[in-house]
Amino acid sequence: MTGPRFPARLDGSERTDLLLSTLVAVGAAYRRVAGFSGRPPVHAVDRRLQLVVDAVRAEADDVVSLRTAMRCRSGAPAHTST
């Protein structure tokens, strides 16, 4: 694992920016500590789900709740029990 890259100052000098360098270092340290927390790593979510609206229920004025279902291959909703 390589160390974090520290950003240069915004005034164009070759020196590193102390505030941004500190923020980068804190972020890198947090990532390292979070790796030891025992929690499983976060996995990417498949956002290509084919969903259809199965039911719409009024909750309050101008507020509705939507019940969604996975679309099966025929195009009809695949109903599941709730």
Side-chain angles (χ1 to χ4, degrees), residues 1 3-7 17-33:
M1 180 173 157
R5 284 188 55 215
F6 296 110
D17 189 312
L18 183 60
L19 175 64
L20 292 178
S21 298
T22 302
L23 290 175
V24 168
V26 168
Y30 177 78
R31 277 195 269 346
R32 269 188 254 122
V33 170

